[in-house]
Amino acid sequence: RSGLVAHQLRYHLRAYGTMPWLEDHVVALILRGGWSGGAAADEEPFRLGGTPTQDLVSTLMQEVQTGSHWLRGYPSDILVGRAFHLVTAEYRLPLGRIRRGLDTLPIFARDLSFALFHDLGVAYAAPLSSPEGLETSARGAAGAEVRLTTDLFFALPLRLRFGWAWGWGPGGGHQGYLVLASDP
């Protein structure tokens, strides 16, 4: 072996702006990506695709929520490469501030919100040169989500996301989902 090790650089930028007509309505712009390189045998490629398959009971038992960078509206891992970039734009608005529990059950509902979103993602093989085939690997999606923030057992914060997405690029389609995951 040449002694070259795998390396990876990731970024995650977020910007939020309130709407002048309703201050509790927010536009969110999220930009994520990464580059990797080094020895191919040691390198783990980046994967972009739809919402993950999730067993809600197992997720609750293990107290582990899934990540939140997905290209909704597509099958899992539709884009794989040594580099990826994902842009998400969302219009978020509150539906209700519940702030109550269910009798004596150890669950406390906090907020119910709604989001309209648009995702645009790309993954490619050559991370440090010009992105070859960028125009054929880019995928976009649009959709909507209802999100419920809760506390379980008075200490475990959970975000339940129920959504629908339409992937408008090659391999895309309609996708409904229900997952426990943080906001994008």
Side-chain angles (χ1 to χ4, degrees), residues 20-146:
W21 52 87
L22 289 168
E23 65 182 44
D24 56 354
H25 289 219
V26 175
V27 171
L29 183 62
I30 302 109
L31 179 61
R32 301 186 166 118
W35 296 270
S36 64
D42 296 331
E43 186 181 333
E44 178 69 29
F46 292 107
R47 301 175 184 282
L48 273 181
T51 55
T53 304
Q54 186 180 61
D55 176 5
L56 294 178
V57 174
S58 175
T59 300
L60 285 171
M61 299 289 281
Q62 295 173 10
E63 297 182 17
V64 176
Q65 296 184 53
T66 185
S68 63
H69 69 277
W70 318 312
L71 182 56
R72 296 166 277 198
Y74 292 90
S76 296
D77 302 339
I78 193 162
L79 298 175
V80 178
R82 297 179 73 184
F84 88 99
H85 307 285
L86 177 63
V87 177
T88 299
E90 291 190 344
Y91 184 88
R92 300 175 180 177
L93 59 129
L95 295 177
R97 307 235 187 265
I98 302 167
R99 310 281 199 242
R100 62 176 32 183
L102 298 171
D103 201 13
T104 60
L105 294 176
I107 187 167
F108 184 82
R110 294 195 171 277
D111 297 314
L112 186 65
S113 62
F114 180 76
L116 293 172
F117 65 84
H118 188 273
D119 295 334
L120 184 59
V122 64
Y124 49 92
L128 297 177
S129 62
S130 65
E132 298 162 4
L134 185 63
E135 63 282 350
T136 60
S137 67
R139 303 284 194 283
E145 285 186 353
V146 174

Side-chain angles (χ1 to χ4, degrees), residues 12-23:
H12 185 160
L13 304 167
R14 295 181 191 192
Y16 301 96
T18 58
M19 298 292 94
W21 52 87
L22 289 168
E23 65 182 44

